[in-house]
Amino acid sequence: MSFAVGAMFALASLPLHAQRLVGGDMSMLPKYEDAHVGYFDTDGSRIDNVLSYVADKAGFNVVRVRLFVNPPKTENGVVQDLDYVKTLGKRIKDGGMKFLLDFHYSDTWADPANQWTPDAWKSLSDTQLADKVYDYTKDCLQQLVNIGATPDYIQTGNEISYGMLWGPKGTGSPKKCTTGSDANWQRFRTLLTRAGQACREICPQAKIIIHTERTGNWSTTRGIYERLSSIDYDIIGLSYYPEWHNNLATLGNTLNNLHAQFAQKDVMIVETGYYNNWYPSNATYNFTSTWPASAAGQLKYLNELVSAVREKEWVKAIIYWFPEENPHNNRVYEPWYNHGLFDPNTGKAVEALFAMKNFVSTGIKGIADEKRVAGQHIYTLDGRRVNGDAALRKGIYVKDGRKVVVK
């Protein structure tokens, strides 16, 4: 077999950016299915299996699912207990997609403004609480492994920009962490360490993500990850919503700075989204002149997001929050959040659903033989960017979407 022919076989089995991920946090999908909500493709034909549809047609290769400790199930969207997650996680893995498990370590929403300790853990001392985090994480993961739903990625906390497990809700002095104070950071590091130990023991192949959401503020983001430098984890996870975190240039600045300062860590955008109808009146930034609050605006936003991050090889994922939202003739999720990628008036998939797959597609056009490749955008077949101005080893590279064989 000639080198050129062999190269073609290698390219077929090793697509550029093979390790990149696109998908969604689809934690509410079973509730929509239980309510027999109608999902339809762009032509109006009913979708029988939404997970299969987003994998086959939208290129989703990862699904994220949140997990609460003892959710009351009376609060909107807070229904994901361990049994719920086991069932959905098994479906994700059986469907051939990666499974990202999002531990909230709370009975309800955990975010920068809410990191409340579960009621069943509220009487524990800090030492006991760290042990509980370890035991709980280990038990949940073992149960998932036992049924064939092993997570591929694990978030040990959700949007933990200011720490987690602050204390019972309503406590007078919550144990928050800020980059301007040393208070509570050692406690926070201990909690993350114990969570990570459980992950490494039960799911040694899984990648651990530390997820924050100060994406619009580089100084704060840097301070958080500097203070967590002793923690064993693999990936920096970010939330990026333009209404809270500013424009794509701001996102790009944060991503570039993360790579410069924490080059050993990959980065994932584990939450993003945009509006298909009204825009929130309390938003910090109004981008409706750039991206209208409409299906067309969603599509434009996602196309421009993909374009903005695609050349940043250290960014490994774009995960859309709540793409399955579908308020057409149902009351599954109230009030309507209007981030979904299904038309709220018809239940049809909108074009934005298919935009993210361009983040992982190669765009390879042809093949050429060269003795040397020069340029700024040169990649190996596994998606690593290389310096094209230096002498390259013999092999196959991709330059500007074109396969090049260096002899």
Side-chain angles (χ1 to χ4, degrees):
M1 181 183 295
S2 70
F3 178 73
V5 173
M8 296 299 290
F9 282 107
L11 284 164
S13 62
L14 281 171
L16 181 65
H17 298 322
Q19 76 278 31
R20 281 187 155 178
L21 304 171
V22 293
D25 184 314
M26 302 183 69
S27 301
M28 284 297 291
L29 180 61
K31 286 299 179 183
Y32 282 95
E33 293 171 331
D34 289 346
H36 305 290
V37 171
Y39 289 87
F40 303 91
D41 66 17
T42 54
D43 295 325
S45 298
R46 192 178 186 97
I47 299 169
D48 294 326
N49 187 322
V50 176
L51 279 181
S52 294
Y53 181 80
V54 297
D56 296 341
K57 303 299 184 182
F60 281 25
N61 54 12
V62 63
V63 174
R64 178 184 187 240
V65 182
R66 57 184 172 266
L67 171 61
F68 301 105
V69 178
N70 290 304
K73 302 183 182 179
T74 55
E75 186 176 353
N76 197 20
V78 184
V79 297
Q80 295 80 15
D81 60 15
L82 182 56
D83 286 341
Y84 182 110
V85 172
K86 285 162 63 176
T87 300
L88 182 53
K90 182 71 163 59
R91 288 177 57 193
I92 292 164
K93 296 300 298 263
D94 287 350
M97 290 184 281
K98 301 294 186 182
F99 173 27
L100 194 167
L101 177 64
D102 178 12
F103 279 103
H104 274 240
Y105 295 121
S106 181
D107 292 336
T108 186
W109 295 111
D111 55 45
N114 299 280
Q115 292 285 340
W116 305 113
T117 303
D119 283 348
W121 303 357
K122 63 185 180 182
S123 64
L124 300 178
S125 68
D126 287 349
T127 299
Q128 291 170 329
L129 186 62
D131 290 341
K132 174 58 74 172
V133 166
Y134 169 81
D135 291 339
Y136 167 77
T137 303
K138 187 173 181 178
D139 178 60
C140 291
L141 293 176
Q142 189 63 64
Q143 291 195 47
L144 287 164
V145 169
N146 290 347
I147 65 162
T150 303
D152 301 281
Y153 299 87
I154 305 168
Q155 283 184 214
T156 51
N158 186 78
E159 293 190 333
I160 49 177
S161 305
Y162 300 114
M164 63 186 188
L165 294 158
W166 292 341
K169 191 170 185 177
T171 189
S173 299
K175 296 180 180 181
K176 297 183 180 181
C177 297
T178 65
T179 54
S181 168
D182 291 335
N184 301 314
W185 279 96
Q186 186 53 54
R187 174 182 182 273
F188 183 27
R189 284 189 286 265
T190 300
L191 293 169
L192 285 175
T193 296
R194 296 294 277 152
Q197 287 172 345
C199 295
R200 297 299 192 209
E201 289 177 21
I202 306 302
C203 300
Q205 301 304 313
K207 300 297 186 182
I208 299 174
I209 302 170
I210 292 184
H211 172 208
T212 63
E213 76 69 67
R214 297 287 86 187
T215 310
N217 186 322
W218 163 241
S219 176
T220 300
T221 298
R222 178 187 62 205
I224 294 167
Y225 289 103
E226 283 179 340
R227 287 176 174 269
L228 298 180
S229 61
S230 63
I231 302 301
D232 175 21
Y233 74 102
D234 304 293
I235 296 168
I236 292 171
L238 302 176
S239 291
Y240 172 67
Y241 298 100
E243 67 272 23
W244 309 120
H245 304 125
N246 211 342
N247 55 27
L248 289 172
T250 301
L251 170 65
N253 180 66
T254 296
L255 293 173
N256 290 340
N257 287 334
L258 282 170
H259 185 55
Q261 187 149 347
F262 306 98
Q264 74 279 18
K265 303 295 184 186
D266 288 334
V267 179
M268 288 184 173
I269 300 173
V270 297
E271 288 188 29
T272 193
Y274 201 73
Y275 297 94
N276 58 35
N277 248 268
W278 70 89
Y279 202 83
S281 60
N282 64 337
T284 304
Y285 305 97
N286 189 325
F287 284 104
T288 52
S289 62
T290 303
W291 307 301
S294 65
Q298 282 183 320
L299 177 60
K300 186 170 185 285
Y301 166 69
L302 283 175
N303 281 337
E304 293 182 7
L305 173 64
V306 169
S307 294
V309 303
R310 187 173 178 185
E311 295 301 324
K312 302 181 190 302
E313 69 273 11
W314 61 95
V315 180
K316 300 303 184 184
I318 299 176
I319 298 174
Y320 196 95
W321 198 81
F322 203 8
E324 76 277 21
E325 184 187 27
N326 181 358
H328 177 53
N329 292 333
N330 70 77
R331 302 178 66 179
V332 173
Y333 192 101
E334 294 183 308
W336 173 23
Y337 184 57
N338 73 297
H339 254 222
L341 298 180
F342 290 85
D343 190 300
N345 297 310
T346 65
K348 292 182 181 180
V350 298
E351 289 301 320
L353 178 64
F354 312 100
M356 290 181 292
K357 63 183 176 182
N358 293 323
F359 180 64
V360 299
S361 65
T362 67
I364 291 173
K365 302 168 187 173
I367 190 163
D369 293 342
E370 301 285 351
K371 294 186 181 301
R372 187 163 182 257
V373 183
Q376 296 180 340
H377 300 138
I378 312 299
Y379 295 89
T380 61
L381 292 180
D382 62 359
R384 291 181 293 108
R385 190 167 175 173
V386 295
N387 182 3
D389 294 326
L392 297 177
R393 294 181 179 180
K394 291 180 180 181
I396 310 166
Y397 299 88
V398 176
K399 176 187 177 184
D400 298 325
R402 186 177 180 84
K403 294 173 291 194
V404 177
V405 176
V406 177
K407 295 184 175 180

